[in-house]
Amino acid sequence: MRALIQRVRRAQVSVNGEIVSSIEKGLCVLIGICRDDGPVDLEYIVRKILNVRLFDDDSGVRWKSSVKDKQGEILCISQFTLYHELKGNKPDFHNSMGPDAARSFYDNFLAELRKHYKSELVKDGKFGEYMQVEIENDGPVTIMLESPNSKNKAGSKGETDNE
């Protein structure tokens, strides 16, 4: 799994000109699911999203507080294009999980995130729909996470839990 996390002052997602979800201060998270992702990948990404320290603490010290610490909102948006490979100038998405399996996996991801946080603070877009996402970055702060198992499967490099 890949999660592109942006710290935001606000974010919203629309489908066909209609706002389907919005948040105030918190995280906007774009979620990519690899064709071989499993429960370990899901658990890793959920834990990292909730615990990565992207906010100042109450005394203003940077990088000391997580979205959980701040009781911020989280807007999750499925984005299969995070698992692209360029073939010349054309993107290829063969590393992304197929739509039916990905929908179920994404629903499990949301359920797990809500289980470990406040359900009412976790929002999402519309899986498989053409969406418009508006964000007001805070910083800007953007972090890419990738589950260790997914890195090995898709042949990419990135952060590990030990870094």
Side-chain angles (χ1 to χ4, degrees):
M1 282 185 84
R2 289 183 178 154
L4 182 71
I5 301 173
Q6 296 182 311
R7 188 177 71 188
V8 298
R9 290 185 183 194
R10 64 168 199 83
Q12 69 181 30
V13 61
S14 302
V15 175
N16 296 322
E18 213 174 295
I19 296 171
V20 295
S21 214
S22 65
I23 64 167
E24 294 301 318
K25 192 168 181 77
L27 301 176
C28 183
V29 183
L30 306 176
I31 298 293
I33 304 169
C34 181
R35 65 178 182 233
D36 298 323
D37 280 341
V40 171
D41 301 287
L42 187 148
E43 291 165 8
Y44 176 89
I45 291 294
V46 165
R47 182 170 39 85
K48 285 296 193 180
I49 290 169
L50 293 177
N51 294 298
V52 66
R53 295 179 295 187
L54 301 178
F55 298 90
D56 299 354
D57 69 8
D58 293 336
S59 64
V61 178
R62 293 184 183 256
W63 316 113
K64 289 289 186 178
S65 296
S66 68
V67 71
K68 269 176 87 170
D69 297 332
K70 291 297 196 178
Q71 298 298 293
E73 294 181 283
I74 303 171
L75 176 59
C76 297
I77 300 163
S78 63
Q79 189 170 357
F80 73 93
T81 61
L82 288 177
Y83 273 102
H84 75 281
E85 282 187 19
L86 289 180
K87 300 223 173 168
N89 290 323
K90 183 179 179 188
D92 176 272
F93 306 107
H94 74 274
N95 284 324
S96 292
M97 188 177 282
D100 293 336
R103 179 182 302 269
S104 175
F105 196 91
Y106 181 71
D107 289 343
N108 289 338
F109 159 76
L110 289 172
E112 193 70 13
L113 196 58
R114 289 175 174 134
K115 176 179 157 188
H116 292 285
Y117 193 42
K118 294 182 176 180
S119 182
E120 68 276 9
L121 296 180
V122 178
K123 305 196 178 158
D124 70 299
K126 294 269 186 185
F127 186 91
E129 294 291 329
Y130 188 81
M131 296 176 271
Q132 292 73 49
V133 180
E134 294 180 40
I135 61 168
E136 184 178 331
N137 270 315
D138 185 17
V141 173
T142 303
I143 302 290
M144 174 66 88
L145 297 176
E146 188 164 18
S147 61
N149 291 337
S150 194
K151 283 184 256 184
N152 296 333
K153 293 175 215 161
S156 61
K157 296 181 180 1
E159 71 103 68
T160 65
D161 215 15
N162 296 327
E163 292 179 344

